């Protein structure tokens, strides 16, 4: 009887807390430095989500170890809805790349929802003497090991997207990891590196300004934002690599809080403004319930784990 009473009290307490949620600002951890696609999506989301919730959503960038450090920080946070984690496809890479993780990607979090997805762009510094995917492959085969590509770090989307391309193309290009997608892209624009495959959502302005030369995009077809840029698959059949972004909360977060967050994000994704903002960056909104997002993550963990093993990538 005492256990039943305690259970009822706890259930009532959780219900009351959820009804009052949020009563203070919400922290949104981005496990990569500013300037990358995760950061861009988080900042697109935070202001509008804060307006829906009636409390500010404050972004905290915690980069390092391919997203593992920020993810660990979120996993250890109190499961009260006041710490959220923005993840990308890099979340699905980590288990295959590292022998141990300080959290269990299958159980450390409760899924809220996916936000959107988009391809990457195969780009080069304007000085690289190629103008197509085929020409880049030919140059790399003629001069194996002399070209290099930058990435946001070992195990990042930029890394696996590029490594998958190099592997399928059968070319030897040197990987240069950075501490974030912004620094990697900046060094290619500055001429310190030659190739980078950032998410389209972060690179379009630099393509249009001429600071980077786009050779192809990684979706199955051309992207409407860059209709004159071929899909890589037009030259390399079967190649595809899509990034995605979503929200998690620490495991144990009360279900009513999860539902409140899911409802608020869903309203944003249904608005024409959010869809237009995503489309203007070369991405698209995607809608999934928390259980659907959980199943999606499980499938991505399996898919990209296989890719990482096939390509032979391991964290350094």
């Amino acid at each position: 009887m005492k256990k039943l009473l305690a259970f009822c009290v706890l259930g009532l307490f959780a219900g009351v807390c959820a009804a009052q949620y949020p009563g203070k600002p919400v922290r949104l951890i981005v496990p990569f430095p500013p300037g990358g696609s995760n950061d861009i999506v988080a900042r697109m989301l935070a202001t509008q989500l804060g307006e829906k919730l009636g409390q500010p959503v404050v972004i905290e960038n915690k980069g390092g170890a391919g997203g593992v450090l920020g993810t660990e920080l979120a996993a250890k946070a109190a499961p009260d809805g006041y710490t959220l984690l923005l993840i990308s496809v890099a979340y699905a890479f980590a288990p295959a790349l590292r022998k141990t993780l300080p959290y269990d990607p299958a159980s450390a979090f409760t899924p809220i929802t996916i936000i959107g997805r988009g391809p990457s762009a195969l780009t080069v510094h304007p000085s690289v003497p190629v103008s197509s995917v085929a020409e880049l492959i030919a140059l790399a085969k003629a001069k194996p090991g002399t070209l290099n590509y930058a990435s946001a770090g070992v195990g990042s989307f930029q890394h696996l997207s590029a490594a998958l391309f190099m592997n399928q193309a059968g070319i030897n290009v040197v990987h240069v990891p950075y501490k974030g997608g912004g620094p990697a892209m900046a060094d290619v624009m500055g001429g310190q590196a030659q190739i980078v495959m950032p998410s389209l959502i972060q690179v379009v302005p630099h393509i249009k300004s001429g600071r980077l030369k786009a050779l192809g995009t990684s979706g199955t077809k051309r992207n409407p934002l860059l209709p004159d840029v071929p899909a890589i698959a037009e030259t390399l059949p079967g190649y595809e690599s899509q990034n995605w972004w979503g929200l998690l909360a620490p495991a144990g977060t009360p279900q009513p809080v999860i539902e409140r967050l899911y409802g608020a994000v869903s309203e944003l994704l249904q608005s024409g403004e959010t869809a237009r903002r995503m489309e203007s960056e070369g991405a698209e909104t995607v809608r999934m319930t928390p259980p659907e997002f959980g199943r999606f993550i499980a499938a991505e963990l399996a898919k990209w784990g296989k890719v990482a093993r096939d390509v032979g990538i391991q964290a350094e």
Side-chain angles (χ1 to χ4, degrees), residues 31-32 62-73 94 98 100-103:
F32 289 96
K62 180 67 174 179
V68 171
L69 295 185
T71 303
E72 178 186 11
L73 180 65
R98 300 175 184 275
T100 59
L101 287 172
Y103 57 87

Side-chain angles (χ1 to χ4, degrees), residues 29-291:
I29 294 176
V30 179
F32 289 96
S37 66
N38 292 36
D39 185 63
I40 291 171
V41 171
R43 293 181 191 281
M44 288 173 61
L45 179 75
T47 300
Q48 295 183 76
L49 182 58
E51 292 173 356
K52 291 286 183 185
L53 295 175
Q55 289 286 347
V57 175
V58 181
I59 293 173
E60 180 178 335
N61 292 93
K62 180 67 174 179
V68 171
L69 295 185
T71 303
E72 178 186 11
L73 180 65
K76 293 180 177 178
D80 54 10
Y82 289 100
T83 297
L84 306 178
L85 175 69
L86 189 132
I87 64 168
S88 64
V89 69
Y91 183 84
F93 301 159
L97 302 176
R98 300 175 184 275
K99 293 181 179 179
T100 59
L101 287 172
Y103 57 87
D104 183 347
S107 63
F109 296 95
T110 298
I112 299 172
T113 189
I114 195 169
I115 298 167
R117 66 184 172 206
S120 62
L122 175 59
T123 66
V124 298
H125 186 269
S127 66
V128 179
V130 298
S131 57
S132 69
V133 173
E135 289 180 3
L136 177 64
I137 293 173
L139 178 62
K141 287 185 174 180
K143 299 180 178 180
T146 59
L147 296 175
N148 64 59
Y149 70 95
S151 84
V154 175
S156 64
F157 174 63
Q158 291 185 2
H159 183 197
L160 263 75
S161 192
L164 183 61
F165 167 72
M166 308 302 173
N167 181 265
Q168 290 190 6
I171 54 179
N172 177 14
V173 180
V174 178
H175 176 220
V176 183
Y178 286 76
K179 294 182 178 180
M185 196 165 58
D187 258 21
V188 176
M189 288 189 289
Q192 283 76 44
Q194 297 164 305
I195 305 166
V196 67
M197 286 191 72
S199 291
L200 200 58
I201 199 169
Q202 73 186 104
V203 77
V204 168
H206 305 301
I207 293 171
K208 292 187 173 181
S209 71
R211 299 184 70 189
L212 287 171
K213 181 165 47 176
L215 305 181
T217 55
S218 68
T220 56
K221 57 185 179 180
R222 298 190 182 202
N223 190 278
L225 202 59
L226 298 172
D228 296 329
V229 178
I232 295 171
E234 293 179 35
T235 301
L236 199 62
Y239 178 83
E240 180 189 6
S241 180
Q242 295 266 14
N243 201 354
W244 52 262
W245 308 273
L247 283 179
L248 302 178
T253 299
Q255 189 59 31
V257 172
I258 296 296
E259 291 173 359
R260 173 86 169 93
L261 289 164
Y262 167 67
V265 176
S266 293
E267 288 181 22
L268 295 179
L269 297 181
Q270 290 170 6
S271 73
E273 178 187 353
T274 302
R276 284 192 295 271
R277 289 184 67 183
M278 292 288 280
E279 288 170 3
S280 70
E281 301 286 356
E284 61 180 347
T285 57
V286 183
R287 301 174 198 172
M288 291 183 191
T289 65

